[in-house]
Amino acid sequence: MLTLTDIYLKSHNGELLTQDEAWRLYSEAPLAELAAQADMLRQKLVPDPSVVTWQIDRNVNTTNVCTSGCLFCNFHCKPHQTEKHFITTIEQYCSKIDTMIALGGNQLLLQGGMHPQLGIEFYEELFRELKHRYPTLRLHALGAPEVAHIAKISGLTTQQTLERLVAAGLDSLPGAGAEILVPRVRKIISPAKPSVEQWLEVMHQAHMMNLPTSATMMYGHIETPQERVEHLIRIRDLQAQVPEGNYGFIAFIPWIFCSTGTQLEKRGVVSHFSPLEYIRIIATARLVLNNIRNIQASWLTVGKQTAQVALHSGANDFGSIMIEENVVSSAGANNHFDANGIQKAIREAGFTPKLRDQLYNLL
Ligand code: SF4
């Protein structure tokens, strides 16, 4: 059996860890040693280790109507709750985009519920109109479950759906809707959402088309520690199939489940944030996902200090200033940064802040 030192070495050499080896890192490695090893790998994989990147973008929700009803989500409303419905209008998008541009951003993170009546034509028209009005705007839009939903109600394959969305202006796919990629967990927390296999299939198709993507993990609800590691292995294995030269997953972003007011909380599942556990997840992710270059610290959910420690434990990106975020914020995540604040936090942690674009190019 390999020692922990052997497993670190294997990861540093770019070899893929087995699930058992990944589990041993997560469950057995002393935290300070794990974080130091993850930091060493970060220094090897990131072009300038003294730099921590950050971004200006804006999260806008297309609609809150959703057929899925995930038990962790306070944001959505059901199709029959017509008094609560919204579909964002073009005028509202323009006002939000103008604010973002004035702050120096050029990317819209566009996500929403799985509306039973909004098929491919709705999104094609929306993307075309936004790109017509703002030709340099980047659209980081629709999670894999939304793509699967649009494909289903439009009678299209995943590939056809992605091709049409890209032709209309989609630039990259966020990693939303992954939660924990284990069927047992998904059946409990989001039974009506497209399955684990569908999430992986959409991402696989995106990777084959060379559409940039990211991957996420929402932990701290009903999953077991072993299922967190299983999630990492699924992401890592999909990344290993990306054709040479294609983007694949550009970044991995784990965040903590926030329970306030959710259906899960009503069932007794309450979030207990442990900064040390978060650091263990960041460090393990860096070593297991040794084929993904960027690991993002989610300051929105874990706060400034924990996110700063994460930068010394494998993470190399501080995410976005998030001009607007409604999903995790509505479940109790209340941390905020402006452009000065995020750069100050990065400097305090001992790094040089550099603004990046959505492909992690320095600006
Ligand atoms: S998380 Fe997304 S898919 Fe789930 S209920 Fe909320 S809006 Fe719908």
Side-chain angles (χ1 to χ4, degrees), residues 8 12 25 29-43 275-276 278-287 308-315:
Y8 296 139
H12 287 236
L25 287 187
L31 182 58
E33 179 182 292
L34 185 71
Q37 289 291 333
D39 189 44
M40 278 169 59
L41 184 57
R42 169 195 186 277
Q43 294 189 32
L276 296 184
Y278 178 73
I279 297 302
R280 180 169 287 280
I281 284 173
I282 287 280
T284 305
R286 172 57 84 188
L287 291 161
Q308 287 173 322
V309 177
L311 296 178
H312 292 276
S313 313

Side-chain angles (χ1 to χ4, degrees), residues 64 66-70 72-73 75-76 112-114 145 179 190 193 327:
N64 62 345
C66 188
T67 52
S68 180
C70 305
F72 55 85
C73 175
F75 161 77
H76 74 282
M114 300 195 293
E179 285 84 58
S190 45
K193 204 167 188 168
V327 178

Side-chain angles (χ1 to χ4, degrees), residues 177-222:
E179 285 84 58
I180 293 287
L181 292 169
V182 173
R184 183 197 77 83
V185 175
R186 206 163 185 90
K187 276 190 194 124
I188 297 170
I189 66 170
S190 45
K193 204 167 188 168
S195 66
V196 168
E197 286 310 316
Q198 285 174 294
W199 192 97
L200 294 168
E201 167 61 14
V202 171
M203 287 302 184
H204 179 64
Q205 287 293 344
H207 294 170
M208 299 310 282
M209 292 167 54
N210 201 18
L211 183 64
T213 63
S214 50
T216 62
M217 171 165 99
M218 184 188 74
Y219 75 94
H221 38 91
I222 61 146

Side-chain angles (χ1 to χ4, degrees), residues 48-60:
D48 183 350
S50 69
V51 164
V52 165
T53 45
W54 65 286
Q55 193 192 17
I56 302 170
D57 70 359
R58 176 151 203 170
N59 193 346
V60 181

Side-chain angles (χ1 to χ4, degrees), residues 15-132:
E15 296 173 54
L16 304 187
L17 304 185
T18 65
Q19 190 162 326
D20 182 56
E21 289 161 356
W23 169 245
R24 287 186 53 217
L25 287 187
Y26 183 63
S27 61
E28 293 175 20
L31 182 58
E33 179 182 292
L34 185 71
Q37 289 291 333
D39 189 44
M40 278 169 59
L41 184 57
R42 169 195 186 277
Q43 294 189 32
K44 189 174 166 185
L45 294 181
V46 173
D48 183 350
S50 69
V51 164
V52 165
T53 45
W54 65 286
Q55 193 192 17
I56 302 170
D57 70 359
R58 176 151 203 170
N59 193 346
V60 181
N61 299 114
T62 47
T63 177
N64 62 345
V65 182
C66 188
T67 52
S68 180
C70 305
L71 301 187
F72 55 85
C73 175
N74 287 337
F75 161 77
H76 74 282
C77 68
K78 298 275 168 50
H80 68 268
Q81 297 173 298
T82 48
E83 72 289 355
K84 295 183 185 167
H85 286 189
F86 77 75
I87 296 176
T88 302
T89 63
I90 283 292
E91 289 68 33
Q92 289 168 327
Y93 282 114
C94 291
S95 158
K96 289 167 191 279
I97 293 168
D98 289 341
T99 309
M100 175 187 71
I101 290 172
L103 287 168
N106 80 331
Q107 174 176 275
L108 212 54
L109 171 52
L110 204 62
Q111 295 179 304
M114 300 195 293
H115 193 300
Q117 269 98 45
L118 302 186
I120 187 85
E121 288 83 6
F122 171 84
Y123 291 95
E124 285 177 316
E125 202 176 306
L126 173 62
F127 292 179
R128 289 212 164 94
E129 185 61 28
L130 292 175
K131 285 290 178 97
H132 172 69

